[in-house]
Amino acid sequence: MNIAAIVSAAAAAIIIITISPAIAQPAPTATVTPAPTATVTKVDRLSRTIAVRRNETTGANTSGAAEEFKAQEGLSLEDVHAGDRVTFSTSEVNGVKTITKVQKQ
């Protein structure tokens, strides 16, 4: 009986070791970007997306292409309209660009 108990315990340990990496999910990765200034180019309230063109100047470029972001759950888009100058914060969670805060200037 003693050998059978040892073999059972070893088999259980091997099963736990091989299954645990498959069960463990990696934590979502999030990257937070500081609040730049931008001009809103499009607001789609149905799909909860907002497109902005950053107002930063880099080298000879005076403005970049518009970037589109998904609005974070709970973020109101009712007061934001195309043409508004805003500051905003974004984060990227599992590869999805998300706008977490938007404030008119």
Side-chain angles (χ1 to χ4, degrees):
M1 287 292 197
N2 203 5
I3 293 176
I6 293 172
V7 170
S8 294
I14 290 171
I15 290 171
I16 290 172
I17 290 171
T18 56
I19 292 177
S20 61
I23 294 173
Q25 296 290 327
T29 58
T31 306
V32 177
T33 312
T37 59
T39 302
V40 176
T41 60
K42 180 178 92 170
V43 178
D44 186 342
R45 289 174 181 81
L46 293 177
S47 66
R48 297 203 37 80
T49 59
I50 182 170
V52 295
R53 178 173 290 123
R54 295 177 193 257
N55 296 333
E56 305 161 345
T57 54
T58 307
N61 293 337
T62 56
S63 64
E67 297 177 83
E68 192 165 297
F69 297 94
K70 189 79 172 162
Q72 182 180 29
E73 193 65 36
L75 181 68
S76 175
L77 297 177
E78 293 304 314
D79 296 331
V80 182
H81 305 284
D84 288 347
R85 292 185 61 128
V86 297
T87 58
F88 66 100
S89 299
T90 63
S91 77
E92 189 169 314
V93 179
N94 293 334
V96 177
K97 292 183 191 179
T98 304
I99 194 160
T100 56
K101 180 181 177 185
V102 63
Q103 184 176 17
K104 284 185 179 184
Q105 288 188 326

